[in-house]
Every structure is written in structure tokens, then in C-alpha cells.
Amino acid sequence: MPNRKFFFCFLLAIGLFLTACRTQQAVTEPVPELSSFRVDVDFMHPRRWSSRSVWDYWVTVANDSVECHLPYMGVKYQSDLYDEGLDFSLPLTSFRRGRGRKGQAEMELTFRRNVTGYRLTITLYPGGKASLYLLPTNGDGIGYDGEWKAL
């Protein structure tokens, strides 16, 4: 009699596990392969200061270029002569795309402006959220959060 109860509980546990896996796969649809998208930034994470909300900032990636309009808080070790901050549109030097866990898309873009090189890592999540990490060659890295949409 105890063996039947154990067997019944074992089958019930397997059934619940398979049902949970099926519903989890249906909820997390992967991010489609995008050639152009825009991330509206609403939160920034500087390395040396506290995180804060921001508005009216964005990053647009379209085919082979990046348009960037972002705030920057951090230490610059060597300033460009005519540095206008992170407000520019530049062609990409390199672009690498990959898939993360749970259907997210991960991209690494590099581009150059004057003497400063930038590496921008973008993670797009299936629910419409995005995270960015910008690392200049002559300053502190900074992280951003926001929402993405295809163009």
C-alpha cells in the first residue's frame, strides 16, 4: 500500500513539473532578430554615484549606425578637445549578436568618436525591457535601463 501512495505522488509531481515547464515556455517568447530598434532610457546607474531616474534620453541602433543621446556621470581620464558628451550619431566599428537565457537578445557594439572608443552592451528582454552598459576607453562605465521597441 505505501508503494502505491509513493508511486501516485511521484506521478503527480512529474505532471505538475511538466505543466509548469510548458506554461513557462509559452510566456517567454524570444526577442526577434532586429536590424533596427530604439531603447528609451528611464534609469541610469553610474559607478561612483547613486542610481537615478532620467527622461528624454534614448539610443537608436539602425542597420550599421548608432544614434546616442544619453547622460553621463563618471570620471573621464582624458577629455577630448571638443567633447560634447554622449550626443552623437556614428557608424559601428563592430557588431556582435547572441542569445541569452530565457529568449533575451544580447548585442555588443563598438564605435569610435575622435580619440574615444566606446563599447555598448545591450540586452533586450522579451517583455520589452532593456539594459545597456556603456564603457568608454577613457572613462568610467555606466549602466542604463529602459524599454525597447522595433523601428
Side-chain angles (χ1 to χ4, degrees), residues 37-45 58-61 66 68 70 107 109 119-125 129-135 142-148:
F37 59 92
R38 176 181 168 130
V39 177
D40 293 316
V41 173
D42 56 13
F43 213 76
M44 65 186 281
H45 309 281
W58 68 88
V59 171
T60 303
V61 177
V66 61
C68 187
L70 292 172
M107 296 166 221
L109 302 85
R119 184 174 68 205
L120 178 64
T121 305
I122 302 174
T123 305
L124 304 177
Y125 298 97
K129 298 290 184 184
S131 66
L132 293 84
Y133 187 75
L134 183 71
L135 183 64
I142 185 169
Y144 302 95
D145 291 330
E147 296 184 3
W148 68 272

PDB file of all heavy atoms in Angstrom, residues 37-45 58-61 66 68 70 107 109 119-125 129-135 142-148:
ATOM      1  N   PHE A  37      16.264  49.185 -33.901  1.00  0.00           N
ATOM      2  CA  PHE A  37      15.412  49.317 -32.722  1.00  0.00           C
ATOM      3  C   PHE A  37      15.821  50.569 -31.963  1.00  0.00           C
ATOM      4  O   PHE A  37      16.870  51.162 -32.210  1.00  0.00           O
ATOM      5  CB  PHE A  37      15.507  48.084 -31.821  1.00  0.00           C
ATOM      6  CG  PHE A  37      16.888  47.797 -31.317  1.00  0.00           C
ATOM      7  CD1 PHE A  37      17.317  48.313 -30.105  1.00  0.00           C
ATOM      8  CD2 PHE A  37      17.755  47.014 -32.058  1.00  0.00           C
ATOM      9  CE1 PHE A  37      18.584  48.061 -29.644  1.00  0.00           C
ATOM     10  CE2 PHE A  37      19.026  46.758 -31.606  1.00  0.00           C
ATOM     11  CZ  PHE A  37      19.448  47.273 -30.390  1.00  0.00           C
ATOM     12  N   ARG A  38      14.981  50.962 -31.029  1.00  0.00           N
ATOM     13  CA  ARG A  38      15.241  52.130 -30.189  1.00  0.00           C
ATOM     14  C   ARG A  38      15.013  51.746 -28.732  1.00  0.00           C
ATOM     15  O   ARG A  38      14.046  51.067 -28.410  1.00  0.00           O
ATOM     16  CB  ARG A  38      14.304  53.270 -30.584  1.00  0.00           C
ATOM     17  CG  ARG A  38      14.426  54.496 -29.712  1.00  0.00           C
ATOM     18  CD  ARG A  38      13.443  55.547 -30.162  1.00  0.00           C
ATOM     19  NE  ARG A  38      13.340  56.606 -29.185  1.00  0.00           N
ATOM     20  CZ  ARG A  38      13.443  57.887 -29.465  1.00  0.00           C
ATOM     21  NH1 ARG A  38      13.642  58.265 -30.703  1.00  0.00           N
ATOM     22  NH2 ARG A  38      13.326  58.786 -28.527  1.00  0.00           N
ATOM     23  N   VAL A  39      15.911  52.203 -27.861  1.00  0.00           N
ATOM     24  CA  VAL A  39      15.781  51.999 -26.427  1.00  0.00           C
ATOM     25  C   VAL A  39      15.552  53.364 -25.787  1.00  0.00           C
ATOM     26  O   VAL A  39      16.403  54.252 -25.905  1.00  0.00           O
ATOM     27  CB  VAL A  39      17.032  51.328 -25.821  1.00  0.00           C
ATOM     28  CG1 VAL A  39      16.882  51.194 -24.316  1.00  0.00           C
ATOM     29  CG2 VAL A  39      17.286  49.975 -26.456  1.00  0.00           C
ATOM     30  N   ASP A  40      14.385  53.553 -25.171  1.00  0.00           N
ATOM     31  CA  ASP A  40      14.087  54.772 -24.421  1.00  0.00           C
ATOM     32  C   ASP A  40      14.563  54.557 -22.992  1.00  0.00           C
ATOM     33  O   ASP A  40      14.038  53.720 -22.272  1.00  0.00           O
ATOM     34  CB  ASP A  40      12.591  55.077 -24.453  1.00  0.00           C
ATOM     35  CG  ASP A  40      12.119  55.446 -25.848  1.00  0.00           C
ATOM     36  OD1 ASP A  40      12.830  56.227 -26.508  1.00  0.00           O
ATOM     37  OD2 ASP A  40      11.064  54.954 -26.268  1.00  0.00           O
ATOM     38  N   VAL A  41      15.561  55.326 -22.580  1.00  0.00           N
ATOM     39  CA  VAL A  41      16.213  55.149 -21.281  1.00  0.00           C
ATOM     40  C   VAL A  41      15.432  55.895 -20.210  1.00  0.00           C
ATOM     41  O   VAL A  41      15.056  57.052 -20.398  1.00  0.00           O
ATOM     42  CB  VAL A  41      17.670  55.650 -21.352  1.00  0.00           C
ATOM     43  CG1 VAL A  41      18.315  55.634 -19.997  1.00  0.00           C
ATOM     44  CG2 VAL A  41      18.463  54.809 -22.332  1.00  0.00           C
ATOM     45  N   ASP A  42      15.176  55.222 -19.083  1.00  0.00           N
ATOM     46  CA  ASP A  42      14.474  55.874 -17.977  1.00  0.00           C
ATOM     47  C   ASP A  42      15.188  55.742 -16.632  1.00  0.00           C
ATOM     48  O   ASP A  42      14.712  56.252 -15.633  1.00  0.00           O
ATOM     49  CB  ASP A  42      13.040  55.358 -17.864  1.00  0.00           C
ATOM     50  CG  ASP A  42      12.946  53.860 -17.719  1.00  0.00           C
ATOM     51  OD1 ASP A  42      13.969  53.206 -17.459  1.00  0.00           O
ATOM     52  OD2 ASP A  42      11.837  53.329 -17.883  1.00  0.00           O
ATOM     53  N   PHE A  43      16.339  55.080 -16.598  1.00  0.00           N
ATOM     54  CA  PHE A  43      17.079  54.926 -15.346  1.00  0.00           C
ATOM     55  C   PHE A  43      18.556  54.780 -15.662  1.00  0.00           C
ATOM     56  O   PHE A  43      18.923  54.110 -16.635  1.00  0.00           O
ATOM     57  CB  PHE A  43      16.573  53.689 -14.596  1.00  0.00           C
ATOM     58  CG  PHE A  43      16.627  53.823 -13.111  1.00  0.00           C
ATOM     59  CD1 PHE A  43      15.704  54.581 -12.433  1.00  0.00           C
ATOM     60  CD2 PHE A  43      17.606  53.172 -12.387  1.00  0.00           C
ATOM     61  CE1 PHE A  43      15.744  54.704 -11.051  1.00  0.00           C
ATOM     62  CE2 PHE A  43      17.666  53.277 -11.009  1.00  0.00           C
ATOM     63  CZ  PHE A  43      16.718  54.049 -10.344  1.00  0.00           C
ATOM     64  N   MET A  44      19.418  55.405 -14.879  1.00  0.00           N
ATOM     65  CA  MET A  44      20.867  55.289 -15.093  1.00  0.00           C
ATOM     66  C   MET A  44      21.553  54.817 -13.816  1.00  0.00           C
ATOM     67  O   MET A  44      21.079  55.091 -12.706  1.00  0.00           O
ATOM     68  CB  MET A  44      21.460  56.616 -15.566  1.00  0.00           C
ATOM     69  CG  MET A  44      21.375  57.742 -14.565  1.00  0.00           C
ATOM     70  SD  MET A  44      21.925  59.320 -15.225  1.00  0.00           S
ATOM     71  CE  MET A  44      23.672  59.146 -15.136  1.00  0.00           C
ATOM     72  N   HIS A  45      22.672  54.081 -13.997  1.00  0.00           N
ATOM     73  CA  HIS A  45      23.433  53.515 -12.881  1.00  0.00           C
ATOM     74  C   HIS A  45      24.902  53.921 -13.006  1.00  0.00           C
ATOM     75  O   HIS A  45      25.703  53.161 -13.558  1.00  0.00           O
ATOM     76  CB  HIS A  45      23.344  51.989 -12.882  1.00  0.00           C
ATOM     77  CG  HIS A  45      21.962  51.453 -12.960  1.00  0.00           C
ATOM     78  ND1 HIS A  45      21.129  51.385 -11.869  1.00  0.00           N
ATOM     79  CD2 HIS A  45      21.248  50.974 -14.008  1.00  0.00           C
ATOM     80  CE1 HIS A  45      19.972  50.876 -12.240  1.00  0.00           C
ATOM     81  NE2 HIS A  45      20.017  50.619 -13.533  1.00  0.00           N
ATOM     82  N   TRP A  58      17.712  58.438 -25.177  1.00  0.00           N
ATOM     83  CA  TRP A  58      17.492  57.247 -25.990  1.00  0.00           C
ATOM     84  C   TRP A  58      18.773  56.812 -26.688  1.00  0.00           C
ATOM     85  O   TRP A  58      19.743  57.555 -26.770  1.00  0.00           O
ATOM     86  CB  TRP A  58      16.405  57.500 -27.032  1.00  0.00           C
ATOM     87  CG  TRP A  58      16.811  58.478 -28.097  1.00  0.00           C
ATOM     88  CD1 TRP A  58      17.452  58.204 -29.272  1.00  0.00           C
ATOM     89  CD2 TRP A  58      16.648  59.890 -28.067  1.00  0.00           C
ATOM     90  NE1 TRP A  58      17.680  59.349 -29.969  1.00  0.00           N
ATOM     91  CE2 TRP A  58      17.185  60.401 -29.253  1.00  0.00           C
ATOM     92  CE3 TRP A  58      16.078  60.775 -27.154  1.00  0.00           C
ATOM     93  CZ2 TRP A  58      17.187  61.759 -29.554  1.00  0.00           C
ATOM     94  CZ3 TRP A  58      16.080  62.116 -27.458  1.00  0.00           C
ATOM     95  CH2 TRP A  58      16.613  62.598 -28.636  1.00  0.00           C
ATOM     96  N   VAL A  59      18.729  55.585 -27.190  1.00  0.00           N
ATOM     97  CA  VAL A  59      19.748  55.031 -28.086  1.00  0.00           C
ATOM     98  C   VAL A  59      19.003  54.361 -29.222  1.00  0.00           C
ATOM     99  O   VAL A  59      18.075  53.581 -28.995  1.00  0.00           O
ATOM    100  CB  VAL A  59      20.637  53.993 -27.367  1.00  0.00           C
ATOM    101  CG1 VAL A  59      21.544  53.279 -28.354  1.00  0.00           C
ATOM    102  CG2 VAL A  59      21.451  54.639 -26.283  1.00  0.00           C
ATOM    103  N   THR A  60      19.382  54.675 -30.449  1.00  0.00           N
ATOM    104  CA  THR A  60      18.786  54.062 -31.627  1.00  0.00           C
ATOM    105  C   THR A  60      19.863  53.326 -32.401  1.00  0.00           C
ATOM    106  O   THR A  60      20.895  53.911 -32.723  1.00  0.00           O
ATOM    107  CB  THR A  60      18.134  55.128 -32.537  1.00  0.00           C
ATOM    108  OG1 THR A  60      17.164  55.845 -31.781  1.00  0.00           O
ATOM    109  CG2 THR A  60      17.469  54.483 -33.730  1.00  0.00           C
ATOM    110  N   VAL A  61      19.625  52.059 -32.667  1.00  0.00           N
ATOM    111  CA  VAL A  61      20.524  51.262 -33.499  1.00  0.00           C
ATOM    112  C   VAL A  61      19.779  50.974 -34.787  1.00  0.00           C
ATOM    113  O   VAL A  61      18.699  50.376 -34.770  1.00  0.00           O
ATOM    114  CB  VAL A  61      20.924  49.948 -32.797  1.00  0.00           C
ATOM    115  CG1 VAL A  61      21.792  49.101 -33.704  1.00  0.00           C
ATOM    116  CG2 VAL A  61      21.622  50.233 -31.492  1.00  0.00           C
ATOM    117  N   VAL A  66      24.742  53.900 -34.932  1.00  0.00           N
ATOM    118  CA  VAL A  66      24.132  54.089 -33.622  1.00  0.00           C
ATOM    119  C   VAL A  66      23.946  55.586 -33.393  1.00  0.00           C
ATOM    120  O   VAL A  66      24.836  56.378 -33.677  1.00  0.00           O
ATOM    121  CB  VAL A  66      24.980  53.446 -32.502  1.00  0.00           C
ATOM    122  CG1 VAL A  66      26.361  54.051 -32.418  1.00  0.00           C
ATOM    123  CG2 VAL A  66      24.298  53.556 -31.160  1.00  0.00           C
ATOM    124  N   CYS A  68      23.080  58.143 -30.372  1.00  0.00           N
ATOM    125  CA  CYS A  68      23.141  58.097 -28.921  1.00  0.00           C
ATOM    126  C   CYS A  68      22.840  59.481 -28.356  1.00  0.00           C
ATOM    127  O   CYS A  68      23.436  60.473 -28.771  1.00  0.00           O
ATOM    128  CB  CYS A  68      24.547  57.654 -28.530  1.00  0.00           C
ATOM    129  SG  CYS A  68      24.784  57.333 -26.806  1.00  0.00           S
ATOM    130  N   LEU A  70      22.503  60.298 -24.468  1.00  0.00           N
ATOM    131  CA  LEU A  70      22.495  59.762 -23.108  1.00  0.00           C
ATOM    132  C   LEU A  70      23.197  60.707 -22.140  1.00  0.00           C
ATOM    133  O   LEU A  70      24.127  61.423 -22.525  1.00  0.00           O
ATOM    134  CB  LEU A  70      23.222  58.415 -23.060  1.00  0.00           C
ATOM    135  CG  LEU A  70      22.575  57.244 -23.769  1.00  0.00           C
ATOM    136  CD1 LEU A  70      23.515  56.054 -23.782  1.00  0.00           C
ATOM    137  CD2 LEU A  70      21.262  56.884 -23.126  1.00  0.00           C
ATOM    138  N   MET A 107      23.644  42.047 -27.475  1.00  0.00           N
ATOM    139  CA  MET A 107      24.425  42.644 -28.550  1.00  0.00           C
ATOM    140  C   MET A 107      25.585  43.430 -27.970  1.00  0.00           C
ATOM    141  O   MET A 107      25.452  44.039 -26.910  1.00  0.00           O
ATOM    142  CB  MET A 107      23.559  43.597 -29.369  1.00  0.00           C
ATOM    143  CG  MET A 107      22.436  42.929 -30.071  1.00  0.00           C
ATOM    144  SD  MET A 107      21.284  44.136 -30.640  1.00  0.00           S
ATOM    145  CE  MET A 107      19.789  43.269 -30.254  1.00  0.00           C
ATOM    146  N   LEU A 109      28.198  46.357 -29.350  1.00  0.00           N
ATOM    147  CA  LEU A 109      28.516  47.287 -30.428  1.00  0.00           C
ATOM    148  C   LEU A 109      29.759  48.078 -30.037  1.00  0.00           C
ATOM    149  O   LEU A 109      29.911  48.455 -28.874  1.00  0.00           O
ATOM    150  CB  LEU A 109      27.371  48.282 -30.642  1.00  0.00           C
ATOM    151  CG  LEU A 109      25.990  47.757 -30.971  1.00  0.00           C
ATOM    152  CD1 LEU A 109      25.227  47.395 -29.737  1.00  0.00           C
ATOM    153  CD2 LEU A 109      25.249  48.788 -31.747  1.00  0.00           C
ATOM    154  N   ARG A 119      32.336  50.865 -26.128  1.00  0.00           N
ATOM    155  CA  ARG A 119      31.753  49.531 -26.252  1.00  0.00           C
ATOM    156  C   ARG A 119      30.394  49.582 -25.551  1.00  0.00           C
ATOM    157  O   ARG A 119      30.322  49.859 -24.358  1.00  0.00           O
ATOM    158  CB  ARG A 119      32.633  48.471 -25.631  1.00  0.00           C
ATOM    159  CG  ARG A 119      32.052  47.065 -25.853  1.00  0.00           C
ATOM    160  CD  ARG A 119      32.969  45.990 -25.379  1.00  0.00           C
ATOM    161  NE  ARG A 119      33.062  46.058 -23.924  1.00  0.00           N
ATOM    162  CZ  ARG A 119      34.092  45.620 -23.225  1.00  0.00           C
ATOM    163  NH1 ARG A 119      35.118  45.098 -23.835  1.00  0.00           N
ATOM    164  NH2 ARG A 119      34.101  45.713 -21.917  1.00  0.00           N
ATOM    165  N   LEU A 120      29.338  49.324 -26.298  1.00  0.00           N
ATOM    166  CA  LEU A 120      27.973  49.366 -25.780  1.00  0.00           C
ATOM    167  C   LEU A 120      27.413  47.956 -25.799  1.00  0.00           C
ATOM    168  O   LEU A 120      27.314  47.337 -26.857  1.00  0.00           O
ATOM    169  CB  LEU A 120      27.109  50.301 -26.631  1.00  0.00           C
ATOM    170  CG  LEU A 120      25.643  50.434 -26.251  1.00  0.00           C
ATOM    171  CD1 LEU A 120      25.501  51.060 -24.870  1.00  0.00           C
ATOM    172  CD2 LEU A 120      24.908  51.277 -27.278  1.00  0.00           C
ATOM    173  N   THR A 121      27.067  47.444 -24.621  1.00  0.00           N
ATOM    174  CA  THR A 121      26.461  46.127 -24.496  1.00  0.00           C
ATOM    175  C   THR A 121      24.981  46.322 -24.225  1.00  0.00           C
ATOM    176  O   THR A 121      24.607  46.984 -23.262  1.00  0.00           O
ATOM    177  CB  THR A 121      27.113  45.330 -23.356  1.00  0.00           C
ATOM    178  OG1 THR A 121      28.525  45.283 -23.580  1.00  0.00           O
ATOM    179  CG2 THR A 121      26.564  43.927 -23.291  1.00  0.00           C
ATOM    180  N   ILE A 122      24.137  45.751 -25.096  1.00  0.00           N
ATOM    181  CA  ILE A 122      22.688  45.909 -24.987  1.00  0.00           C
ATOM    182  C   ILE A 122      22.069  44.534 -24.781  1.00  0.00           C
ATOM    183  O   ILE A 122      22.387  43.593 -25.503  1.00  0.00           O
ATOM    184  CB  ILE A 122      22.093  46.550 -26.256  1.00  0.00           C
ATOM    185  CG1 ILE A 122      22.739  47.910 -26.516  1.00  0.00           C
ATOM    186  CG2 ILE A 122      20.585  46.672 -26.148  1.00  0.00           C
ATOM    187  CD1 ILE A 122      22.320  48.545 -27.818  1.00  0.00           C
ATOM    188  N   THR A 123      21.173  44.428 -23.805  1.00  0.00           N
ATOM    189  CA  THR A 123      20.404  43.207 -23.578  1.00  0.00           C
ATOM    190  C   THR A 123      18.932  43.557 -23.703  1.00  0.00           C
ATOM    191  O   THR A 123      18.434  44.411 -22.977  1.00  0.00           O
ATOM    192  CB  THR A 123      20.681  42.619 -22.186  1.00  0.00           C
ATOM    193  OG1 THR A 123      22.091  42.426 -22.042  1.00  0.00           O
ATOM    194  CG2 THR A 123      19.970  41.292 -22.011  1.00  0.00           C
ATOM    195  N   LEU A 124      18.251  42.919 -24.669  1.00  0.00           N
ATOM    196  CA  LEU A 124      16.824  43.140 -24.890  1.00  0.00           C
ATOM    197  C   LEU A 124      16.059  41.955 -24.324  1.00  0.00           C
ATOM    198  O   LEU A 124      16.313  40.813 -24.696  1.00  0.00           O
ATOM    199  CB  LEU A 124      16.520  43.276 -26.389  1.00  0.00           C
ATOM    200  CG  LEU A 124      17.282  44.366 -27.141  1.00  0.00           C
ATOM    201  CD1 LEU A 124      16.935  44.330 -28.613  1.00  0.00           C
ATOM    202  CD2 LEU A 124      16.989  45.730 -26.551  1.00  0.00           C
ATOM    203  N   TYR A 125      15.114  42.217 -23.434  1.00  0.00           N
ATOM    204  CA  TYR A 125      14.329  41.173 -22.790  1.00  0.00           C
ATOM    205  C   TYR A 125      12.989  41.016 -23.496  1.00  0.00           C
ATOM    206  O   TYR A 125      12.468  41.979 -24.070  1.00  0.00           O
ATOM    207  CB  TYR A 125      14.121  41.506 -21.310  1.00  0.00           C
ATOM    208  CG  TYR A 125      15.413  41.579 -20.546  1.00  0.00           C
ATOM    209  CD1 TYR A 125      16.031  42.794 -20.306  1.00  0.00           C
ATOM    210  CD2 TYR A 125      16.026  40.418 -20.083  1.00  0.00           C
ATOM    211  CE1 TYR A 125      17.227  42.864 -19.614  1.00  0.00           C
ATOM    212  CE2 TYR A 125      17.217  40.477 -19.390  1.00  0.00           C
ATOM    213  CZ  TYR A 125      17.816  41.703 -19.154  1.00  0.00           C
ATOM    214  OH  TYR A 125      19.005  41.763 -18.475  1.00  0.00           O
ATOM    215  N   LYS A 129      11.653  45.215 -21.889  1.00  0.00           N
ATOM    216  CA  LYS A 129      12.662  45.911 -21.099  1.00  0.00           C
ATOM    217  C   LYS A 129      14.024  45.746 -21.748  1.00  0.00           C
ATOM    218  O   LYS A 129      14.267  44.810 -22.503  1.00  0.00           O
ATOM    219  CB  LYS A 129      12.713  45.373 -19.661  1.00  0.00           C
ATOM    220  CG  LYS A 129      11.438  45.561 -18.890  1.00  0.00           C
ATOM    221  CD  LYS A 129      11.211  47.012 -18.579  1.00  0.00           C
ATOM    222  CE  LYS A 129       9.971  47.192 -17.721  1.00  0.00           C
ATOM    223  NZ  LYS A 129       9.674  48.582 -17.490  1.00  0.00           N
ATOM    224  N   ALA A 130      14.924  46.669 -21.433  1.00  0.00           N
ATOM    225  CA  ALA A 130      16.279  46.622 -21.980  1.00  0.00           C
ATOM    226  C   ALA A 130      17.259  47.120 -20.935  1.00  0.00           C
ATOM    227  O   ALA A 130      16.913  47.950 -20.090  1.00  0.00           O
ATOM    228  CB  ALA A 130      16.375  47.474 -23.231  1.00  0.00           C
ATOM    229  N   SER A 131      18.480  46.609 -20.998  1.00  0.00           N
ATOM    230  CA  SER A 131      19.558  47.133 -20.170  1.00  0.00           C
ATOM    231  C   SER A 131      20.753  47.405 -21.071  1.00  0.00           C
ATOM    232  O   SER A 131      21.023  46.653 -22.012  1.00  0.00           O
ATOM    233  CB  SER A 131      19.916  46.175 -19.037  1.00  0.00           C
ATOM    234  OG  SER A 131      20.457  44.988 -19.554  1.00  0.00           O
ATOM    235  N   LEU A 132      21.447  48.499 -20.789  1.00  0.00           N
ATOM    236  CA  LEU A 132      22.599  48.918 -21.572  1.00  0.00           C
ATOM    237  C   LEU A 132      23.773  49.138 -20.629  1.00  0.00           C
ATOM    238  O   LEU A 132      23.578  49.567 -19.490  1.00  0.00           O
ATOM    239  CB  LEU A 132      22.328  50.240 -22.297  1.00  0.00           C
ATOM    240  CG  LEU A 132      21.288  50.283 -23.394  1.00  0.00           C
ATOM    241  CD1 LEU A 132      19.909  50.462 -22.827  1.00  0.00           C
ATOM    242  CD2 LEU A 132      21.585  51.399 -24.343  1.00  0.00           C
ATOM    243  N   TYR A 133      24.974  48.864 -21.112  1.00  0.00           N
ATOM    244  CA  TYR A 133      26.183  49.195 -20.371  1.00  0.00           C
ATOM    245  C   TYR A 133      27.156  49.817 -21.350  1.00  0.00           C
ATOM    246  O   TYR A 133      27.535  49.195 -22.346  1.00  0.00           O
ATOM    247  CB  TYR A 133      26.794  47.963 -19.695  1.00  0.00           C
ATOM    248  CG  TYR A 133      27.942  48.335 -18.797  1.00  0.00           C
ATOM    249  CD1 TYR A 133      27.700  48.927 -17.559  1.00  0.00           C
ATOM    250  CD2 TYR A 133      29.251  48.149 -19.198  1.00  0.00           C
ATOM    251  CE1 TYR A 133      28.746  49.301 -16.734  1.00  0.00           C
ATOM    252  CE2 TYR A 133      30.307  48.517 -18.380  1.00  0.00           C
ATOM    253  CZ  TYR A 133      30.043  49.097 -17.156  1.00  0.00           C
ATOM    254  OH  TYR A 133      31.075  49.473 -16.343  1.00  0.00           O
ATOM    255  N   LEU A 134      27.539  51.064 -21.088  1.00  0.00           N
ATOM    256  CA  LEU A 134      28.433  51.814 -21.965  1.00  0.00           C
ATOM    257  C   LEU A 134      29.789  51.936 -21.303  1.00  0.00           C
ATOM    258  O   LEU A 134      29.896  52.400 -20.160  1.00  0.00           O
ATOM    259  CB  LEU A 134      27.851  53.201 -22.239  1.00  0.00           C
ATOM    260  CG  LEU A 134      28.649  54.072 -23.192  1.00  0.00           C
ATOM    261  CD1 LEU A 134      28.536  53.525 -24.619  1.00  0.00           C
ATOM    262  CD2 LEU A 134      28.155  55.495 -23.141  1.00  0.00           C
ATOM    263  N   LEU A 135      30.834  51.524 -22.012  1.00  0.00           N
ATOM    264  CA  LEU A 135      32.189  51.574 -21.486  1.00  0.00           C
ATOM    265  C   LEU A 135      33.076  52.364 -22.442  1.00  0.00           C
ATOM    266  O   LEU A 135      33.450  51.862 -23.505  1.00  0.00           O
ATOM    267  CB  LEU A 135      32.737  50.156 -21.296  1.00  0.00           C
ATOM    268  CG  LEU A 135      34.121  50.053 -20.679  1.00  0.00           C
ATOM    269  CD1 LEU A 135      34.111  50.603 -19.256  1.00  0.00           C
ATOM    270  CD2 LEU A 135      34.594  48.624 -20.681  1.00  0.00           C
ATOM    271  N   ILE A 142      29.093  53.034 -17.401  1.00  0.00           N
ATOM    272  CA  ILE A 142      27.820  53.445 -16.827  1.00  0.00           C
ATOM    273  C   ILE A 142      26.720  52.551 -17.383  1.00  0.00           C
ATOM    274  O   ILE A 142      26.768  52.158 -18.552  1.00  0.00           O
ATOM    275  CB  ILE A 142      27.533  54.943 -17.108  1.00  0.00           C
ATOM    276  CG1 ILE A 142      26.258  55.407 -16.403  1.00  0.00           C
ATOM    277  CG2 ILE A 142      27.495  55.232 -18.580  1.00  0.00           C
ATOM    278  CD1 ILE A 142      26.072  56.900 -16.408  1.00  0.00           C
ATOM    279  N   GLY A 143      25.745  52.206 -16.558  1.00  0.00           N
ATOM    280  CA  GLY A 143      24.659  51.349 -16.963  1.00  0.00           C
ATOM    281  C   GLY A 143      23.350  52.129 -17.089  1.00  0.00           C
ATOM    282  O   GLY A 143      23.162  53.160 -16.428  1.00  0.00           O
ATOM    283  N   TYR A 144      22.473  51.647 -17.945  1.00  0.00           N
ATOM    284  CA  TYR A 144      21.165  52.268 -18.173  1.00  0.00           C
ATOM    285  C   TYR A 144      20.103  51.181 -18.254  1.00  0.00           C
ATOM    286  O   TYR A 144      20.379  50.068 -18.677  1.00  0.00           O
ATOM    287  CB  TYR A 144      21.155  53.048 -19.491  1.00  0.00           C
ATOM    288  CG  TYR A 144      22.192  54.126 -19.606  1.00  0.00           C
ATOM    289  CD1 TYR A 144      23.406  53.877 -20.233  1.00  0.00           C
ATOM    290  CD2 TYR A 144      21.972  55.389 -19.086  1.00  0.00           C
ATOM    291  CE1 TYR A 144      24.369  54.862 -20.339  1.00  0.00           C
ATOM    292  CE2 TYR A 144      22.927  56.390 -19.191  1.00  0.00           C
ATOM    293  CZ  TYR A 144      24.120  56.121 -19.827  1.00  0.00           C
ATOM    294  OH  TYR A 144      25.070  57.093 -19.922  1.00  0.00           O
ATOM    295  N   ASP A 145      18.880  51.524 -17.878  1.00  0.00           N
ATOM    296  CA  ASP A 145      17.712  50.658 -18.041  1.00  0.00           C
ATOM    297  C   ASP A 145      16.657  51.426 -18.813  1.00  0.00           C
ATOM    298  O   ASP A 145      16.573  52.651 -18.729  1.00  0.00           O
ATOM    299  CB  ASP A 145      17.124  50.243 -16.692  1.00  0.00           C
ATOM    300  CG  ASP A 145      18.029  49.295 -15.929  1.00  0.00           C
ATOM    301  OD1 ASP A 145      18.755  48.544 -16.584  1.00  0.00           O
ATOM    302  OD2 ASP A 145      17.989  49.315 -14.702  1.00  0.00           O
ATOM    303  N   GLY A 146      15.828  50.694 -19.558  1.00  0.00           N
ATOM    304  CA  GLY A 146      14.764  51.342 -20.298  1.00  0.00           C
ATOM    305  C   GLY A 146      13.878  50.326 -20.987  1.00  0.00           C
ATOM    306  O   GLY A 146      13.874  49.154 -20.638  1.00  0.00           O
ATOM    307  N   GLU A 147      13.125  50.805 -21.971  1.00  0.00           N
ATOM    308  CA  GLU A 147      12.225  49.962 -22.754  1.00  0.00           C
ATOM    309  C   GLU A 147      12.601  50.068 -24.217  1.00  0.00           C
ATOM    310  O   GLU A 147      12.931  51.148 -24.699  1.00  0.00           O
ATOM    311  CB  GLU A 147      10.787  50.400 -22.532  1.00  0.00           C
ATOM    312  CG  GLU A 147      10.328  50.212 -21.097  1.00  0.00           C
ATOM    313  CD  GLU A 147       8.883  50.564 -20.895  1.00  0.00           C
ATOM    314  OE1 GLU A 147       8.188  50.902 -21.883  1.00  0.00           O
ATOM    315  OE2 GLU A 147       8.424  50.486 -19.749  1.00  0.00           O
ATOM    316  N   TRP A 148      12.527  48.934 -24.931  1.00  0.00           N
ATOM    317  CA  TRP A 148      12.896  48.929 -26.336  1.00  0.00           C
ATOM    318  C   TRP A 148      11.671  48.710 -27.204  1.00  0.00           C
ATOM    319  O   TRP A 148      10.661  48.168 -26.781  1.00  0.00           O
ATOM    320  CB  TRP A 148      13.943  47.862 -26.630  1.00  0.00           C
ATOM    321  CG  TRP A 148      13.454  46.450 -26.495  1.00  0.00           C
ATOM    322  CD1 TRP A 148      13.441  45.702 -25.373  1.00  0.00           C
ATOM    323  CD2 TRP A 148      12.912  45.632 -27.540  1.00  0.00           C
ATOM    324  NE1 TRP A 148      12.923  44.465 -25.636  1.00  0.00           N
ATOM    325  CE2 TRP A 148      12.584  44.395 -26.967  1.00  0.00           C
ATOM    326  CE3 TRP A 148      12.664  45.836 -28.882  1.00  0.00           C
ATOM    327  CZ2 TRP A 148      12.027  43.356 -27.697  1.00  0.00           C
ATOM    328  CZ3 TRP A 148      12.108  44.806 -29.613  1.00  0.00           C
ATOM    329  CH2 TRP A 148      11.799  43.579 -29.020  1.00  0.00           C
TER     330      TRP A 148
END
